[in-house]
Amino acid sequence: MSEQEQEFSGSDVQKKFLYLNRRAPYGTIYALESLEVVLIGAAFDQDVSLAFLDDGVYQLLKGQDTKAIGMKNFSPTYRALGDYEVTKLYVEKESLEERGLSIDDLMEITYEDEDDDWAEKPSIQLVNRSEFAAIMAAQDVILSF
Amino acid sequence: MSEQEQEFSGSDVQKKFLYLNRRAPYGTIYALESLEVVLIGAAFDQDVSLAFLDDGVYQLLKGQDTKAIGMKNFSPTYRALGDYEVTKLYVEKESLEERGLSIDDLMEITYEDEDDDWAEKPSIQLVNRSEFAAIMAAQDVILSF
Amino acid sequence: MSVLHTVNKSPFEKAAFESCLKHTGPGDAVLLIEDGVYAAVKGTAVADRIAGGNGAVSLYALGPDLAARGITESAVIETVKVVDYGGFVDLITEYDVSQAWL
Amino acid sequence: MSVLHTVNKSPFEKAAFESCLKHTGPGDAVLLIEDGVYAAVKGTAVADRIAGGNGAVSLYALGPDLAARGITESAVIETVKVVDYGGFVDLITEYDVSQAWL
Amino acid sequence: MKIGILVSEGPFTHQASDSAYQFVKAALEKGHEIFRVFFYNDGVNNGTRLTVPPQDERNIQSNWTELAEKHNLDLVVCIAAAQRRGILDENEAKRQGKDADNIAPGFRISGLGQLIETGIESDRLVVFGD
Amino acid sequence: MKIGILVSEGPFTHQASDSAYQFVKAALEKGHEIFRVFFYNDGVNNGTRLTVPPQDERNIQSNWTELAEKHNLDLVVCIAAAQRRGILDENEAKRQGKDADNIAPGFRISGLGQLIETGIESDRLVVFGD
């Protein structure tokens, strides 16, 4: 990995990557393996956003406790995304509402803004369904899981 | 297989097996691998029924031609089920209707009734949604794919 | 004869939950497991399918799958009983046959 | 910038098709492949989602997947253009980015 | 009671194998007999000994293998499904002219008849899939 | 154009790998360049040489291997996803203390960075999954 990182850190190609998450955690592995791509991808100095819509919003729910199903609880990793300079997490408002959820049901995910004296800011941005088409159209690469 | 067949052909255990098919062919392998269980299961002198509901009704559509996707067209196998003494194929009427289909869009599947001078009879029986709960409740084993 | 129906899919992602509800008979039960447990939550767009549902059908949800997904028992619709894996086993033995809505 | 959306799931089984339609912008296109092609058929319970749909979005279905499933081109809704794998490639190059609704 | 299990999905990607494992453990604790666990469709992928999951995650294959050893479980991988997906034991590898096999300890490869037999011989058959 | 491909599902169970294969063939016929085919999630299962599909069915693995030979394609299997699912090459088998490997000719195992690189270097990235 470090070789690749070096190879690209000097490159002036910077693309807009969107990771689009539409599936719940644990029932399938897609949420976890998507997150693993995001963490590796963070080494490549690209412009990264994550989107959570449909059942993808369930990935961010507070209070996940996987002990009794014998699987690893990977939800704390989302809160570490700020350390990887992944700071744009778009969550669809309508997807939350259909599921009886509000932003208060989601984990608090923040980052320190280096352009603003390292002030702590929320990473999650609520986005209306109608705005998502524009977000997608602004990307160079969409990885959907 | 033949060993098992012998072992069970003498057994007086006869159970009602229902194979419940709810998925379309080709997009996933479940339809094909369900059919493979039915064919092997036919060697075991059990009381076998197949049910097709939801997207499962697509498995029986006429005129499937898989040349251009490079996959094997396994739909002719359904027409051979009569030779395996698999003669009860329940198709849900409402599932057909929602998909704009009628029984005329399905393959003709028949069997020769040994109790009726080998008269050729249709294997497919249209069943209303409301009747399916009773069909399921009458089974000893339901294998769903 | 009575049927235990299991649903392991989110009602928002797949038609399995809806199809299951349309195919239950009196005396049957529905057990929500894996991503199916999201159907047991109060206040969602599908909650009335359970809350206002067929009283002749008993409803269960698997506690370990609720907890994994961050759903507290107080968020679960009152008519849904929460069971653990042992309760899942008991349901399988209590009902005559099981049908998995995959 | 314009987006090519691909849908590979049956509209009767999964919410992907419906979610895709809700997230297209003007100038986008939707290509139905694999089990997604069932959404292109006339006279189904979801046909009006396409036929009465957003005219600003172009609709395509993959011919090889239609044929495999026994769907003749005459059964396909008029506003849906049928393409082969070469046409799929052309669409990918014509639109700026693609999004797969899995 | 005598309970049979069908697992239709591979490890990790879907929860099916995990759910089946937890169910089987609970059933054994309650004194039930597990007639057989039959692995079909992608379920055959549970039976490869070549997996190396991350150290902080469960090892689904070895979980099954250990449970089988402890309770003398019969874990059967469908031969037809296994051939499509590249799961082989030593005999099958030889017969198919392959230079390696990958079946895990505690699993055996056999025919689909073993699934039908599970349905006939068990009081209940429970299906875990996608 | 330079096109990158992501395949997220294994062979046979979902059509994803077949669709990707047909797409890649068509793209090559039209003179496009395939930068890389990256296999992730269950997609890594496309890269085992131990499959023995029925003789009247397509062999998905050998289809990919032959296409790669003919067109010098770069077929990359994600190492992390492969470890979870038991896909190993000789080096990995040695490193993990496993007694066999199963990677198919024409496939190589590498890191997730190769997927990001595919996104950066390709004009288009096309995802085939479930």
Side-chain angles (χ1 to χ4, degrees), chain B residues 20 22-23 53-55 99, chain C residues 5-24 30-32 35-36 39 49 99-102, chain D residues 12-15, chain E residues 130:
Chain B
L20 191 66
R22 294 184 50 250
R23 293 195 257 207
L53 56 152
D54 296 339
D55 280 355
R99 288 159 185 79
Chain C
H5 304 262
T6 61
V7 176
N8 71 334
K9 291 302 179 325
S10 160
F12 304 103
E13 189 196 11
K14 280 214 161 192
F17 169 74
E18 186 61 32
S19 188
C20 169
L21 290 190
K22 284 178 182 158
H23 292 92
T24 52
V30 177
L31 169 64
L32 305 169
D35 288 347
R49 292 293 292 130
Q99 150 60 10
W101 294 85
L102 303 177
Chain D
F12 304 103
E13 189 197 10
K14 279 213 160 194
Chain E
D130 172 37

Side-chain angles (χ1 to χ4, degrees), chain F residues 52-113:
Chain F
V52 192
Q55 300 207 323
D56 57 350
E57 273 188 50
R58 78 256 186 236
N59 185 322
I60 295 180
Q61 171 264 309
S62 66
N63 278 354
W64 279 116
T65 295
E66 285 161 23
L67 199 67
E69 274 168 16
K70 196 167 156 195
H71 297 277
N72 200 24
L73 292 183
D74 189 19
L75 307 181
V76 176
V77 166
C78 168
I79 188 165
Q83 286 178 343
R84 278 202 182 89
R85 294 165 178 87
I87 304 295
L88 300 172
D89 62 14
E90 212 182 320
N91 276 340
E92 267 297 292
K94 225 172 270 173
R95 211 165 65 89
Q96 305 289 352
K98 296 287 184 179
D99 62 344
D101 69 82
N102 56 356
I103 192 89
F107 289 81
R108 65 185 179 92
I109 294 184
S110 189
L112 270 171

